Amino acid sequence: MFCEVVGMKAKKNLGQNFLKDQNIIAKIAAEVTAFSNDLILEIGPGRGALTERLVSLNSYYLAYELDQDLKLELARFISPKRQIIFADFLKADLVNDLKKIPYENLYLVGNLPYYITTPILEKIISSQIKPKKIVIMVQKEVGWRFMADAHTKDYGYFTLYLRHYFNVTKVCDVGRDAFWPQPKVESMVLKLEPRENIANLDMEDYQTFLKRCFSQKRKTLKNNLGTTDFAKIQEILKQYNHDDNVRAEELSEEEFVSLFNHLNTK
Ligand code: SAM
């Protein structure tokens, strides 16, 4: 399934909306301050709109592109320091692929199909590859969710999960006309930079805890956690001046971590 304009093809099923706005391309590339001994990892280079600028830094370069039909078009970027793997990034043996490259810092860049934004970030986090910076294009609403503050409707489980690892900031908004073909939604570019001194938590348990806290957004924490667990954290909530009807979206990250630690030490 594809649309065709003056010889160009875009596969909708692979989320192919190619960047054509040079201004946006320059803004993304400007965030990647890699040196020659660093590695730039691009997910979904497509027809090479970003690649062109990224490889000009002379760093190591590795890309994953699912569309085999782009092999010919992307061949011009391949060199001893640059490799393109034509495979699904989500199924790739990332840690093993990276082991083969003697890089210092890792920069991750992607204008990705929006339906795989979250699985991609989960894969990066769980593989512990520790990028120095991630620069990604996301659907605008998803960007709001990733950057949300407490007391807003966008604040939720994934906001806190991501924030545990990264400082998330907006690079720029991106209109639909920056792409060919135009997507149905507005976009934004985000940068994710690793936080220092992150709390040492059992992340699997912390994720489960956060998911429970936000399981029904309109309900109180007490309702979502159940009476037994709620009773255990009641005194901590009081210390933070919260009453029994507090909802998850009213708690700061620091408060979630305190509640989680308290639940797990008693
Ligand atoms: N980066 C290019 C640009 O900005 O013009 C292409 C962007 S397009 C939104 C997304 C690209 O990701 C497409 O080339 C698509 O084939 C590729 N892609 C989709 N799913 C993928 C996956 N699971 N792994 C690797 N590449 C994927």
Side-chain angles (χ1 to χ4, degrees), residues 14-19 44-46 49 64-66 87-89 111 113 116:
L14 293 182
Q16 290 185 345
N17 299 99
F18 300 114
L19 260 175
Y64 294 91
E65 172 54 64
L66 187 52
D88 185 342
F89 174 76
N111 169 22
I116 52 171

Side-chain angles (χ1 to χ4, degrees), residues 11 13-20 25 28 42-51 54 63-68 70 74 85-92 109-116 120 137 178-180:
K11 293 176 181 164
N13 60 332
L14 293 182
Q16 290 185 345
N17 299 99
F18 300 114
L19 260 175
K20 60 171 190 169
I25 292 170
I28 296 173
E42 185 178 9
I43 309 170
R47 309 185 71 238
L50 283 163
T51 318
L54 297 176
Y64 294 91
E65 172 54 64
L66 187 52
D67 188 355
Q68 307 282 335
L70 292 168
L74 290 173
I85 297 177
F86 286 88
D88 185 342
F89 174 76
L90 293 173
K91 293 185 186 151
V109 186
N111 169 22
L112 322 154
Y114 294 153
Y115 52 83
I116 52 171
I120 280 178
M137 181 85 71
F179 303 89
W180 179 87

Side-chain angles (χ1 to χ4, degrees), residues 214-266:
F214 283 96
S215 53
Q216 299 196 65
K217 273 196 133 183
R218 305 307 306 161
K219 295 211 167 172
T220 64
L221 202 61
K222 189 176 186 173
N223 254 304
N224 285 340
L225 287 180
T227 323
T228 315
D229 278 351
F230 188 77
K232 282 190 204 159
I233 57 170
Q234 226 165 355
E235 74 192 66
I236 305 288
L237 284 171
K238 261 194 203 122
Q239 281 171 22
Y240 285 112
N241 295 319
H242 291 299
D243 65 28
D244 285 3
N245 293 322
V246 69
R247 285 181 297 150
E249 68 183 39
E250 295 170 73
L251 303 180
S252 68
E253 187 198 8
E254 180 197 315
E255 289 167 353
F256 276 111
V257 172
S258 296
L259 296 180
F260 173 74
N261 281 335
H262 192 74
L263 253 184
N264 285 287
T265 47
K266 296 257 160 163

Side-chain angles (χ1 to χ4, degrees), residues 124-139:
I124 293 164
I125 291 170
S126 67
S127 62
Q128 302 194 339
I129 55 171
K130 298 197 171 53
K132 189 172 167 101
K133 199 191 243 185
I134 300 175
V135 189
I136 45 164
M137 181 85 71
V138 298
Q139 183 176 333

